[in-house]
Amino acid sequence: MQRIPPKSGAAFLIKAGQYLKVTDPEGEQVSDMVAFAAADTGEFLSSGRSLDYASRLYLTTGDRLYSNRSREMFDIVADEVGRHDFTLTPCSKDTFRIIYGEESPSGGCQENLERVLKPWGISPDRIPIAFNCFMNVAVDGDSGEIRVLPPLSRPGNSIVFRARMDMIVGLTSCSAGQSNNFRYKPIDYDVLPDFAGLPHAASGARQATFADGLPDQ
Amino acid sequence: MQRIPPKSGAAFLIKAGQYLKVTDPEGEQVSDMVAFAAADTGEFLSSGRSLDYASRLYLTTGDRLYSNRSREMFDIVADEVGRHDFTLTPCSKDTFRIIYGEESPSGGCQENLERVLKPWGISPDRIPIAFNCFMNVAVDGDSGEIRVLPPLSRPGNSIVFRARMDMIVGLTSCSAGQSNNFRYKPIDYDVLPDFAGLPHAASGARQATFADGLPDQ
């Protein structure tokens, strides 16, 4: 198990067939995830493609995440929380300045991802909309208003992804107070060769298996 | 006035201070818009930043569109339709294959944007989520389900943007049947040095002026 300290980030390789388990050890903590194909980092995890193909804003167990080239990057194979965001870019100095009116903001997930992805040759401009694990964004279907609410994750809850290609993954412990209920906590992750299920599965967590084709929906 | 024939695209320069008017001449036709800073095309129109800063999925008159570097790209200064999408990537061969099950799909907005942006040195991987003018995407706030419905635009309706930097704009007449109520029509556009208001303004269209700071919301 690897721990990402509060308000920081990590980048690592994952191989096709391996599993990435992202755990919120203390609860109510967001983790922004981005991914790039190891073979060609011009290919990256795409919110716009994934949401279009799922026809849903909220992705969970049984859903598939696609690249900008419409290739399969991840399957979500287990999810104890069931609410994540895939519409917003990582928080940044500019986020804190523009939305929250901070005069001298420190950096956020954007700057943390820039730092950890730089050794992989990925420039700041290429950090896309993240899959924001555990981020709870409520949408009003009439007005389109979006509100960032405290995450639904409780201590120890996790989400598990199966990698479908070799990738460089960037992952953070989010620095935005609004998305963490104003407590800044760590995030844990594991890259696993196999995955037998979540310990809490019996208590109602959703798990899924995927055939070689598209998930049944 | 320039006309974009059905199922095609155009790319052009717009200068800071000029206005871009996008018109749906026949009604119920979507137009995907992307933009890149002319000075450095690594800077592009960002859905994730714009939605975050507006705290709303549906943008209209009075809203501002931001780049991935959190700089202001466009103000929406008039809008006769009031419903556009900013969450989905341009339709493509892969869209038609994955969502609609077509075996030998022809290209869509993605391929049309690739073609028109190539002379500007912008590669296919760098075409982001578009501001999809007139695209009517309904969201269920509970399930997150998204449904592509016929546009609300009637013949002659338009949306007007004020450019806040010099940009290369890519614009299409969308090729996806679902977003056009299965009629494939042209899109008209004008790049204007000034803008006095929309002819239909008296009948309820929303118009706004912006101060130098953020729009009043």
Short mmCIF file of all heavy atoms in Angstrom, two decimals, chain B residues 17-79:
data_model
loop_
_atom_site.label_atom_id
_atom_site.label_comp_id
_atom_site.label_asym_id
_atom_site.label_seq_id
_atom_site.Cartn_x
_atom_site.Cartn_y
_atom_site.Cartn_z
N GLY B 17 -11.62 41.14 -29.03
CA GLY B 17 -12.54 42.25 -29.23
C GLY B 17 -13.56 42.02 -30.32
O GLY B 17 -14.60 42.68 -30.34
N GLN B 18 -13.27 41.08 -31.23
CA GLN B 18 -14.25 40.76 -32.26
C GLN B 18 -15.35 39.86 -31.70
O GLN B 18 -15.20 39.26 -30.63
CB GLN B 18 -13.57 40.06 -33.45
CG GLN B 18 -12.67 40.99 -34.27
CD GLN B 18 -12.06 40.28 -35.47
OE1 GLN B 18 -11.74 39.10 -35.42
NE2 GLN B 18 -11.89 41.03 -36.55
N TYR B 19 -16.43 39.77 -32.44
CA TYR B 19 -17.57 38.95 -32.02
C TYR B 19 -17.75 37.78 -33.00
O TYR B 19 -17.59 37.94 -34.21
CB TYR B 19 -18.85 39.79 -32.01
CG TYR B 19 -18.82 40.88 -30.96
CD1 TYR B 19 -18.18 42.10 -31.23
CD2 TYR B 19 -19.39 40.67 -29.71
CE1 TYR B 19 -18.13 43.09 -30.26
CE2 TYR B 19 -19.34 41.66 -28.74
CZ TYR B 19 -18.70 42.87 -29.02
OH TYR B 19 -18.65 43.84 -28.06
N LEU B 20 -18.08 36.64 -32.46
CA LEU B 20 -18.42 35.47 -33.28
C LEU B 20 -19.91 35.17 -33.08
O LEU B 20 -20.35 34.91 -31.96
CB LEU B 20 -17.59 34.25 -32.86
CG LEU B 20 -18.02 32.92 -33.48
CD1 LEU B 20 -17.84 32.94 -35.00
CD2 LEU B 20 -17.22 31.75 -32.87
N LYS B 21 -20.64 35.25 -34.17
CA LYS B 21 -22.08 34.94 -34.13
C LYS B 21 -22.30 33.61 -34.83
O LYS B 21 -21.94 33.47 -36.01
CB LYS B 21 -22.86 36.06 -34.83
CG LYS B 21 -24.37 35.88 -34.82
CD LYS B 21 -25.03 37.05 -35.55
CE LYS B 21 -26.53 36.88 -35.66
NZ LYS B 21 -27.13 37.95 -36.51
N VAL B 22 -22.83 32.63 -34.12
CA VAL B 22 -23.10 31.31 -34.70
C VAL B 22 -24.62 31.18 -34.83
O VAL B 22 -25.35 31.29 -33.85
CB VAL B 22 -22.55 30.19 -33.79
CG1 VAL B 22 -22.85 28.82 -34.41
CG2 VAL B 22 -21.05 30.36 -33.57
N THR B 23 -25.07 30.96 -36.06
CA THR B 23 -26.50 30.95 -36.36
C THR B 23 -26.93 29.58 -36.88
O THR B 23 -26.21 28.96 -37.66
CB THR B 23 -26.84 32.03 -37.41
OG1 THR B 23 -26.42 33.30 -36.92
CG2 THR B 23 -28.34 32.08 -37.70
N ASP B 24 -28.08 29.14 -36.42
CA ASP B 24 -28.69 27.90 -36.89
C ASP B 24 -29.78 28.29 -37.90
O ASP B 24 -30.90 28.58 -37.52
CB ASP B 24 -29.28 27.16 -35.69
CG ASP B 24 -29.95 25.86 -36.08
OD1 ASP B 24 -30.00 25.55 -37.29
OD2 ASP B 24 -30.44 25.16 -35.17
N PRO B 25 -29.47 28.29 -39.20
CA PRO B 25 -30.40 28.91 -40.16
C PRO B 25 -31.71 28.14 -40.32
O PRO B 25 -32.75 28.74 -40.59
CB PRO B 25 -29.60 28.92 -41.47
CG PRO B 25 -28.55 27.86 -41.30
CD PRO B 25 -28.23 27.82 -39.84
N GLU B 26 -31.67 26.81 -40.15
CA GLU B 26 -32.90 26.03 -40.38
C GLU B 26 -33.52 25.52 -39.10
O GLU B 26 -34.64 25.00 -39.10
CB GLU B 26 -32.59 24.88 -41.34
CG GLU B 26 -32.08 25.37 -42.70
CD GLU B 26 -31.84 24.22 -43.68
OE1 GLU B 26 -32.41 23.13 -43.49
OE2 GLU B 26 -31.07 24.45 -44.64
N GLY B 27 -32.77 25.60 -37.98
CA GLY B 27 -33.30 25.14 -36.69
C GLY B 27 -32.91 23.71 -36.39
O GLY B 27 -32.67 22.89 -37.28
N GLU B 28 -32.79 23.40 -35.07
CA GLU B 28 -32.48 22.04 -34.59
C GLU B 28 -31.18 21.49 -35.17
O GLU B 28 -31.09 20.31 -35.54
CB GLU B 28 -33.62 21.06 -34.90
CG GLU B 28 -34.89 21.33 -34.11
CD GLU B 28 -35.89 20.17 -34.18
OE1 GLU B 28 -35.79 19.35 -35.12
OE2 GLU B 28 -36.74 20.10 -33.29
N GLN B 29 -30.15 22.36 -35.26
CA GLN B 29 -28.85 21.89 -35.76
C GLN B 29 -27.76 22.27 -34.76
O GLN B 29 -27.69 23.41 -34.32
CB GLN B 29 -28.53 22.52 -37.12
CG GLN B 29 -27.14 22.19 -37.66
CD GLN B 29 -26.92 20.70 -37.91
OE1 GLN B 29 -27.80 20.00 -38.41
NE2 GLN B 29 -25.74 20.20 -37.53
N VAL B 30 -26.91 21.30 -34.43
CA VAL B 30 -25.81 21.52 -33.48
C VAL B 30 -24.55 21.96 -34.21
O VAL B 30 -24.30 21.56 -35.35
CB VAL B 30 -25.56 20.22 -32.68
CG1 VAL B 30 -24.24 20.29 -31.90
CG2 VAL B 30 -26.73 19.95 -31.74
N SER B 31 -23.75 22.80 -33.53
CA SER B 31 -22.45 23.22 -34.05
C SER B 31 -21.41 23.10 -32.95
O SER B 31 -21.48 23.76 -31.92
CB SER B 31 -22.54 24.68 -34.52
OG SER B 31 -21.27 25.15 -34.93
N ASP B 32 -20.42 22.23 -33.15
CA ASP B 32 -19.34 22.04 -32.16
C ASP B 32 -18.29 23.13 -32.35
O ASP B 32 -17.80 23.34 -33.46
CB ASP B 32 -18.65 20.69 -32.35
CG ASP B 32 -19.52 19.51 -31.96
OD1 ASP B 32 -20.75 19.69 -31.81
OD2 ASP B 32 -18.97 18.39 -31.82
N MET B 33 -17.92 23.78 -31.26
CA MET B 33 -16.91 24.84 -31.32
C MET B 33 -15.72 24.50 -30.42
O MET B 33 -15.89 24.19 -29.24
CB MET B 33 -17.50 26.17 -30.87
CG MET B 33 -16.49 27.31 -30.93
SD MET B 33 -17.20 28.92 -30.46
CE MET B 33 -17.23 28.75 -28.67
N VAL B 34 -14.51 24.58 -30.97
CA VAL B 34 -13.28 24.50 -30.18
C VAL B 34 -12.45 25.74 -30.48
O VAL B 34 -12.67 26.42 -31.49
CB VAL B 34 -12.46 23.21 -30.50
CG1 VAL B 34 -13.25 21.96 -30.10
CG2 VAL B 34 -12.09 23.15 -31.98
N ALA B 35 -11.51 26.07 -29.59
CA ALA B 35 -10.70 27.27 -29.81
C ALA B 35 -9.32 27.08 -29.19
O ALA B 35 -9.17 26.40 -28.16
CB ALA B 35 -11.38 28.50 -29.21
N PHE B 36 -8.33 27.68 -29.82
CA PHE B 36 -6.93 27.61 -29.39
C PHE B 36 -6.34 29.01 -29.43
O PHE B 36 -6.63 29.79 -30.35
CB PHE B 36 -6.14 26.68 -30.33
CG PHE B 36 -6.70 25.29 -30.40
CD1 PHE B 36 -7.78 25.00 -31.24
CD2 PHE B 36 -6.19 24.28 -29.61
CE1 PHE B 36 -8.32 23.72 -31.28
CE2 PHE B 36 -6.72 23.00 -29.65
CZ PHE B 36 -7.79 22.71 -30.49
N ALA B 37 -5.51 29.34 -28.45
CA ALA B 37 -4.85 30.65 -28.46
C ALA B 37 -3.96 30.74 -29.69
O ALA B 37 -3.16 29.84 -29.95
CB ALA B 37 -4.03 30.83 -27.18
N ALA B 38 -4.10 31.83 -30.43
CA ALA B 38 -3.31 31.99 -31.66
C ALA B 38 -1.81 32.08 -31.33
O ALA B 38 -0.97 31.61 -32.09
CB ALA B 38 -3.76 33.24 -32.42
N ALA B 39 -1.49 32.65 -30.18
CA ALA B 39 -0.09 32.85 -29.82
C ALA B 39 0.60 31.56 -29.40
O ALA B 39 1.82 31.44 -29.47
CB ALA B 39 0.01 33.87 -28.67
N ASP B 40 -0.19 30.58 -28.95
CA ASP B 40 0.37 29.31 -28.46
C ASP B 40 -0.78 28.32 -28.38
O ASP B 40 -1.58 28.34 -27.46
CB ASP B 40 1.00 29.50 -27.07
CG ASP B 40 1.55 28.20 -26.50
OD1 ASP B 40 1.35 27.12 -27.11
OD2 ASP B 40 2.19 28.26 -25.43
N THR B 41 -0.83 27.42 -29.36
CA THR B 41 -1.99 26.53 -29.45
C THR B 41 -2.00 25.45 -28.38
O THR B 41 -2.94 24.66 -28.32
CB THR B 41 -2.09 25.88 -30.85
OG1 THR B 41 -0.89 25.12 -31.08
CG2 THR B 41 -2.26 26.93 -31.93
N GLY B 42 -0.99 25.43 -27.49
CA GLY B 42 -1.08 24.58 -26.31
C GLY B 42 -2.16 25.05 -25.35
O GLY B 42 -2.58 24.31 -24.46
N GLU B 43 -2.62 26.28 -25.52
CA GLU B 43 -3.70 26.83 -24.70
C GLU B 43 -5.01 26.69 -25.47
O GLU B 43 -5.12 27.13 -26.62
CB GLU B 43 -3.44 28.31 -24.39
CG GLU B 43 -4.51 28.91 -23.50
CD GLU B 43 -4.13 30.28 -22.93
OE1 GLU B 43 -3.19 30.90 -23.45
OE2 GLU B 43 -4.81 30.71 -21.97
N PHE B 44 -6.00 26.07 -24.85
CA PHE B 44 -7.24 25.75 -25.58
C PHE B 44 -8.46 25.95 -24.68
O PHE B 44 -8.36 25.99 -23.45
CB PHE B 44 -7.19 24.31 -26.10
CG PHE B 44 -7.06 23.27 -25.02
CD1 PHE B 44 -8.18 22.75 -24.38
CD2 PHE B 44 -5.81 22.80 -24.63
CE1 PHE B 44 -8.06 21.79 -23.38
CE2 PHE B 44 -5.67 21.84 -23.62
CZ PHE B 44 -6.81 21.34 -23.00
N LEU B 45 -9.61 26.05 -25.32
CA LEU B 45 -10.88 26.22 -24.62
C LEU B 45 -11.14 25.00 -23.73
O LEU B 45 -11.14 23.87 -24.21
CB LEU B 45 -12.01 26.38 -25.65
CG LEU B 45 -13.42 26.60 -25.11
CD1 LEU B 45 -13.49 27.88 -24.27
CD2 LEU B 45 -14.42 26.67 -26.25
N SER B 46 -11.38 25.25 -22.44
CA SER B 46 -11.48 24.16 -21.47
C SER B 46 -12.86 24.07 -20.85
O SER B 46 -13.30 24.96 -20.11
CB SER B 46 -10.45 24.36 -20.36
OG SER B 46 -10.70 23.47 -19.27
N SER B 47 -13.53 22.98 -21.15
CA SER B 47 -14.81 22.66 -20.51
C SER B 47 -14.66 22.60 -18.99
O SER B 47 -15.41 23.23 -18.24
CB SER B 47 -15.29 21.31 -21.05
OG SER B 47 -16.18 20.69 -20.17
N GLY B 48 -13.69 21.83 -18.53
CA GLY B 48 -13.55 21.59 -17.09
C GLY B 48 -13.32 22.88 -16.30
O GLY B 48 -13.88 23.06 -15.22
N ARG B 49 -12.52 23.78 -16.82
CA ARG B 49 -12.29 25.06 -16.14
C ARG B 49 -13.56 25.92 -16.19
O ARG B 49 -13.96 26.51 -15.19
CB ARG B 49 -11.15 25.83 -16.80
CG ARG B 49 -9.81 25.14 -16.71
CD ARG B 49 -9.02 25.53 -15.47
NE ARG B 49 -7.72 24.89 -15.49
CZ ARG B 49 -7.31 23.97 -14.63
NH1 ARG B 49 -8.09 23.58 -13.64
NH2 ARG B 49 -6.12 23.43 -14.74
N SER B 50 -14.17 25.99 -17.36
CA SER B 50 -15.32 26.90 -17.53
C SER B 50 -16.50 26.47 -16.67
O SER B 50 -17.14 27.31 -16.03
CB SER B 50 -15.74 26.94 -19.01
OG SER B 50 -14.68 27.37 -19.83
N LEU B 51 -16.79 25.18 -16.65
CA LEU B 51 -17.92 24.70 -15.84
C LEU B 51 -17.63 24.89 -14.36
O LEU B 51 -18.51 25.27 -13.59
CB LEU B 51 -18.19 23.22 -16.14
CG LEU B 51 -18.58 22.87 -17.58
CD1 LEU B 51 -18.82 21.38 -17.71
CD2 LEU B 51 -19.80 23.65 -18.03
N ASP B 52 -16.40 24.65 -13.95
CA ASP B 52 -16.02 24.81 -12.55
C ASP B 52 -16.23 26.26 -12.13
O ASP B 52 -16.85 26.55 -11.09
CB ASP B 52 -14.55 24.41 -12.38
CG ASP B 52 -14.21 24.03 -10.94
OD1 ASP B 52 -15.10 24.02 -10.09
OD2 ASP B 52 -13.02 23.76 -10.68
N TYR B 53 -15.75 27.19 -12.94
CA TYR B 53 -15.80 28.60 -12.54
C TYR B 53 -17.23 29.15 -12.62
O TYR B 53 -17.59 30.06 -11.87
CB TYR B 53 -14.85 29.44 -13.40
CG TYR B 53 -13.40 29.00 -13.28
CD1 TYR B 53 -12.46 29.29 -14.25
CD2 TYR B 53 -12.96 28.27 -12.17
CE1 TYR B 53 -11.13 28.89 -14.13
CE2 TYR B 53 -11.64 27.84 -12.06
CZ TYR B 53 -10.74 28.16 -13.04
OH TYR B 53 -9.43 27.74 -12.93
N ALA B 54 -18.04 28.60 -13.52
CA ALA B 54 -19.44 29.04 -13.60
C ALA B 54 -20.31 28.34 -12.56
O ALA B 54 -21.40 28.81 -12.24
CB ALA B 54 -20.01 28.77 -14.99
N SER B 55 -19.83 27.20 -12.05
CA SER B 55 -20.62 26.34 -11.15
C SER B 55 -21.97 25.99 -11.78
O SER B 55 -23.00 25.93 -11.12
CB SER B 55 -20.84 27.01 -9.78
OG SER B 55 -19.60 27.13 -9.09
N ARG B 56 -21.93 25.75 -13.08
CA ARG B 56 -23.14 25.40 -13.82
C ARG B 56 -22.77 24.60 -15.06
O ARG B 56 -21.76 24.90 -15.70
CB ARG B 56 -23.90 26.68 -14.23
CG ARG B 56 -25.40 26.46 -14.31
CD ARG B 56 -26.22 27.75 -14.45
NE ARG B 56 -25.52 28.94 -14.04
CZ ARG B 56 -24.87 29.74 -14.88
NH1 ARG B 56 -24.85 29.48 -16.16
NH2 ARG B 56 -24.25 30.81 -14.40
N LEU B 57 -23.57 23.57 -15.39
CA LEU B 57 -23.31 22.78 -16.60
C LEU B 57 -23.78 23.50 -17.85
O LEU B 57 -23.23 23.30 -18.92
CB LEU B 57 -24.04 21.43 -16.54
CG LEU B 57 -23.48 20.33 -15.66
CD1 LEU B 57 -24.25 19.05 -15.91
CD2 LEU B 57 -21.99 20.10 -15.91
N TYR B 58 -24.86 24.30 -17.71
CA TYR B 58 -25.43 24.96 -18.89
C TYR B 58 -25.00 26.42 -18.89
O TYR B 58 -25.36 27.16 -17.99
CB TYR B 58 -26.96 24.89 -18.86
CG TYR B 58 -27.50 23.49 -18.72
CD1 TYR B 58 -28.50 23.20 -17.80
CD2 TYR B 58 -27.02 22.45 -19.52
CE1 TYR B 58 -29.01 21.92 -17.68
CE2 TYR B 58 -27.52 21.17 -19.40
CZ TYR B 58 -28.51 20.90 -18.47
OH TYR B 58 -29.00 19.63 -18.36
N LEU B 59 -24.23 26.82 -19.89
CA LEU B 59 -23.74 28.19 -19.95
C LEU B 59 -24.54 28.98 -20.97
O LEU B 59 -24.98 28.45 -21.99
CB LEU B 59 -22.24 28.20 -20.30
CG LEU B 59 -21.36 27.38 -19.35
CD1 LEU B 59 -19.88 27.60 -19.65
CD2 LEU B 59 -21.66 27.67 -17.89
N THR B 60 -24.73 30.27 -20.68
CA THR B 60 -25.54 31.12 -21.55
C THR B 60 -25.09 32.57 -21.36
O THR B 60 -24.01 32.84 -20.82
CB THR B 60 -27.05 30.94 -21.25
OG1 THR B 60 -27.81 31.73 -22.17
CG2 THR B 60 -27.40 31.34 -19.82
N THR B 61 -25.90 33.50 -21.84
CA THR B 61 -25.58 34.92 -21.76
C THR B 61 -25.09 35.30 -20.36
O THR B 61 -25.73 34.96 -19.37
CB THR B 61 -26.83 35.76 -22.07
OG1 THR B 61 -27.44 35.25 -23.26
CG2 THR B 61 -26.45 37.22 -22.29
N GLY B 62 -23.99 36.00 -20.29
CA GLY B 62 -23.43 36.42 -19.01
C GLY B 62 -22.34 35.48 -18.52
O GLY B 62 -21.64 35.83 -17.56
N ASP B 63 -22.18 34.34 -19.15
CA ASP B 63 -21.13 33.40 -18.73
C ASP B 63 -19.86 33.62 -19.55
O ASP B 63 -19.88 34.17 -20.65
CB ASP B 63 -21.61 31.95 -18.87
CG ASP B 63 -22.60 31.58 -17.79
OD1 ASP B 63 -22.37 31.96 -16.62
OD2 ASP B 63 -23.61 30.93 -18.10
N ARG B 64 -18.78 33.15 -18.97
CA ARG B 64 -17.46 33.36 -19.54
C ARG B 64 -16.81 31.98 -19.78
O ARG B 64 -16.96 31.08 -18.97
CB ARG B 64 -16.62 34.16 -18.53
CG ARG B 64 -15.28 34.57 -19.01
CD ARG B 64 -14.78 35.76 -18.19
NE ARG B 64 -15.36 37.01 -18.69
CZ ARG B 64 -15.18 38.20 -18.11
NH1 ARG B 64 -14.47 38.29 -17.01
NH2 ARG B 64 -15.70 39.29 -18.65
N LEU B 65 -16.12 31.85 -20.90
CA LEU B 65 -15.44 30.59 -21.23
C LEU B 65 -13.94 30.76 -21.04
O LEU B 65 -13.35 31.73 -21.53
CB LEU B 65 -15.74 30.17 -22.67
CG LEU B 65 -17.22 30.15 -23.08
CD1 LEU B 65 -17.35 29.53 -24.48
CD2 LEU B 65 -18.07 29.38 -22.09
N TYR B 66 -13.34 29.79 -20.34
CA TYR B 66 -11.93 29.87 -19.96
C TYR B 66 -11.07 28.85 -20.71
O TYR B 66 -11.56 27.81 -21.15
CB TYR B 66 -11.78 29.60 -18.47
CG TYR B 66 -12.28 30.72 -17.58
CD1 TYR B 66 -13.63 30.82 -17.24
CD2 TYR B 66 -11.40 31.69 -17.09
CE1 TYR B 66 -14.09 31.85 -16.43
CE2 TYR B 66 -11.85 32.70 -16.28
CZ TYR B 66 -13.20 32.78 -15.95
OH TYR B 66 -13.65 33.80 -15.15
N SER B 67 -9.77 29.15 -20.75
CA SER B 67 -8.81 28.20 -21.32
C SER B 67 -8.32 27.25 -20.24
O SER B 67 -8.57 27.43 -19.05
CB SER B 67 -7.61 28.96 -21.91
OG SER B 67 -6.75 29.39 -20.86
N ASN B 68 -7.59 26.22 -20.67
CA ASN B 68 -6.93 25.30 -19.73
C ASN B 68 -5.94 26.04 -18.83
O ASN B 68 -5.57 25.51 -17.79
CB ASN B 68 -6.22 24.17 -20.50
CG ASN B 68 -5.19 24.68 -21.49
OD1 ASN B 68 -5.39 25.72 -22.14
ND2 ASN B 68 -4.09 23.97 -21.62
N ARG B 69 -5.49 27.22 -19.22
CA ARG B 69 -4.61 28.02 -18.36
C ARG B 69 -5.40 29.03 -17.52
O ARG B 69 -4.83 29.97 -16.97
CB ARG B 69 -3.56 28.76 -19.22
CG ARG B 69 -2.63 27.78 -19.94
CD ARG B 69 -1.59 28.52 -20.78
NE ARG B 69 -0.87 27.59 -21.66
CZ ARG B 69 -0.06 27.97 -22.65
NH1 ARG B 69 0.15 29.26 -22.89
NH2 ARG B 69 0.54 27.05 -23.40
N SER B 70 -6.71 28.85 -17.47
CA SER B 70 -7.61 29.70 -16.67
C SER B 70 -7.63 31.14 -17.13
O SER B 70 -7.93 32.04 -16.35
CB SER B 70 -7.26 29.62 -15.18
OG SER B 70 -7.52 28.31 -14.68
N ARG B 71 -7.33 31.38 -18.39
CA ARG B 71 -7.46 32.73 -18.94
C ARG B 71 -8.78 32.83 -19.70
O ARG B 71 -9.29 31.85 -20.23
CB ARG B 71 -6.29 33.04 -19.86
CG ARG B 71 -4.96 33.03 -19.10
CD ARG B 71 -3.90 33.84 -19.82
NE ARG B 71 -3.73 33.42 -21.20
CZ ARG B 71 -3.25 34.22 -22.15
NH1 ARG B 71 -2.91 35.46 -21.88
NH2 ARG B 71 -3.09 33.75 -23.39
N GLU B 72 -9.31 34.05 -19.77
CA GLU B 72 -10.62 34.28 -20.39
C GLU B 72 -10.50 34.20 -21.91
O GLU B 72 -9.69 34.90 -22.51
CB GLU B 72 -11.14 35.64 -19.96
CG GLU B 72 -11.32 35.72 -18.44
CD GLU B 72 -11.08 37.10 -17.87
OE1 GLU B 72 -10.76 38.02 -18.65
OE2 GLU B 72 -11.20 37.26 -16.65
N MET B 73 -11.31 33.34 -22.52
CA MET B 73 -11.30 33.22 -23.98
C MET B 73 -12.50 33.91 -24.62
O MET B 73 -12.35 34.60 -25.62
CB MET B 73 -11.26 31.75 -24.38
CG MET B 73 -9.90 31.09 -24.16
SD MET B 73 -9.78 29.48 -25.00
CE MET B 73 -8.23 29.68 -25.91
N PHE B 74 -13.69 33.65 -24.10
CA PHE B 74 -14.91 34.22 -24.68
C PHE B 74 -15.85 34.68 -23.58
O PHE B 74 -15.93 34.06 -22.51
CB PHE B 74 -15.69 33.15 -25.47
CG PHE B 74 -15.09 32.68 -26.75
CD1 PHE B 74 -14.56 31.41 -26.86
CD2 PHE B 74 -15.11 33.48 -27.89
CE1 PHE B 74 -14.04 30.93 -28.05
CE2 PHE B 74 -14.60 33.03 -29.09
CZ PHE B 74 -14.06 31.75 -29.18
N ASP B 75 -16.62 35.73 -23.87
CA ASP B 75 -17.84 36.04 -23.12
C ASP B 75 -19.02 35.67 -24.01
O ASP B 75 -19.00 35.93 -25.22
CB ASP B 75 -17.96 37.55 -22.84
CG ASP B 75 -16.87 38.07 -21.93
OD1 ASP B 75 -16.38 37.28 -21.10
OD2 ASP B 75 -16.51 39.26 -22.06
N ILE B 76 -20.04 35.07 -23.41
CA ILE B 76 -21.29 34.89 -24.16
C ILE B 76 -22.12 36.15 -23.97
O ILE B 76 -22.54 36.46 -22.85
CB ILE B 76 -22.07 33.65 -23.67
CG1 ILE B 76 -21.19 32.40 -23.73
CG2 ILE B 76 -23.34 33.46 -24.51
CD1 ILE B 76 -21.87 31.13 -23.23
N VAL B 77 -22.31 36.92 -25.04
CA VAL B 77 -22.95 38.23 -24.91
C VAL B 77 -24.41 38.23 -25.35
O VAL B 77 -25.14 39.17 -25.03
CB VAL B 77 -22.17 39.34 -25.66
CG1 VAL B 77 -20.79 39.52 -25.04
CG2 VAL B 77 -22.05 39.02 -27.14
N ALA B 78 -24.83 37.21 -26.07
CA ALA B 78 -26.24 37.10 -26.44
C ALA B 78 -26.54 35.65 -26.79
O ALA B 78 -25.65 34.93 -27.27
CB ALA B 78 -26.58 38.01 -27.63
N ASP B 79 -27.77 35.23 -26.54
CA ASP B 79 -28.10 33.82 -26.72
C ASP B 79 -29.61 33.69 -26.88
O ASP B 79 -30.36 33.93 -25.94
CB ASP B 79 -27.62 33.03 -25.49
CG ASP B 79 -27.92 31.54 -25.57
OD1 ASP B 79 -28.39 31.09 -26.63
OD2 ASP B 79 -27.67 30.85 -24.57
#
